[in-house]
Amino acid sequence: EIPDKCPVCGHALIQDGPQLFCQNPDCNGQILGKMIQFVSRDGMNIVGLGGSILEVFLERGYIQSYADIYRLDRFEKEIVGLEKFGTRKYQNLQKSIQESTNVTLSQFLFALGIPLVGKKTVKDLARTFLTLDNFLSTTYKQLLSIPDINTKTASGIMEWLEDENHKGMIQDLMQYIQIKEETKSTNELAGKSFIITGTLKNPRQYYQKMIEERGGKVVGSVSKKTYAILIGENAGSKETKARKLIEDGVNIIVLDNEDKINDFLK
């Protein structure tokens, strides 16, 4: 049976396509979900601030907005005193929060949780506008000129940007955050598929960003269409399959050390 009320706050639900949405902006479930996306790896990448900890911080009033995460030192004594927390865990959390103050535009836009704007769209927006100011001053027409952004997505973005609460939220955040200018795509790798496997020197996102900035794409499985494979330690089955395809005559570029990767993607 389809529910007609939000299971968290009891507010009426509306249906949009196959999904149900709570319309109460003060719903704790919504706020928690948005916070989880904000701190996620593809967002601000704040390690040590998972869903269960966020839930506790919200319940105790330590955070009520994104910017409050950067003001958590106000509650240092209370947080250190929480069960299974302690001084070391608090210090590690503060270190991760501090590291998150310098992010790319695509990370920041994903963290904001703009409706209908997923990982691919934030990358398209970041490469188009390059700076936050450019994005904030965009027009509906400019958004529609970006490939893969349709009228529904463009309208949703404009509606979100015109909301005074969102403007205030961004202004509050910018007291703490420095956004790095996004690099324009060269499209030299347009249409080419890459595999990243094993443990490399840098996180997977580091190499994926370089590939996507050049128009390439990172996929999950090896095939005859694979253009190149980045191989780290303990690569496993993907490396085995790629090398077998190469033996069978498939032309796949093998980048199996950091020097080769850097020379290829520099």
Side-chain angles (χ1 to χ4, degrees), residues 134-188:
N134 288 343
F135 171 69
L136 294 178
S137 60
T138 188
T139 65
Y140 178 76
K141 185 176 180 180
Q142 283 178 306
L143 290 171
L144 281 182
S145 70
I146 301 172
D148 298 330
I149 290 187
N150 57 28
T151 54
K152 185 175 181 180
T153 302
S155 296
I157 293 172
M158 291 305 302
E159 184 178 342
W160 192 92
L161 287 173
E162 289 164 2
D163 188 306
E164 292 299 325
N165 291 326
H166 297 149
K167 291 178 182 179
M169 175 260 289
I170 291 173
Q171 189 174 11
D172 197 10
L173 275 171
M174 296 316 295
Q175 298 177 70
Y176 308 99
I177 294 170
Q178 180 71 35
I179 297 178
K180 296 177 282 190
E181 185 170 314
E182 205 79 19
T183 304
K184 275 192 173 180
S185 172
T186 62
N187 287 324
E188 62 192 80

Side-chain angles (χ1 to χ4, degrees), residues 12-26:
L13 300 172
I14 64 164
Q15 186 163 353
D16 184 2
Q19 297 177 313
L20 293 169
F21 292 92
C22 173
Q23 295 301 290
N24 176 15
D26 298 319

Side-chain angles (χ1 to χ4, degrees), residues 188-202:
E188 62 192 80
L189 299 175
K192 294 179 169 58
S193 298
F194 288 75
I195 296 289
I196 302 174
T197 184
T199 304
L200 292 158
K201 179 180 177 181
N202 297 295

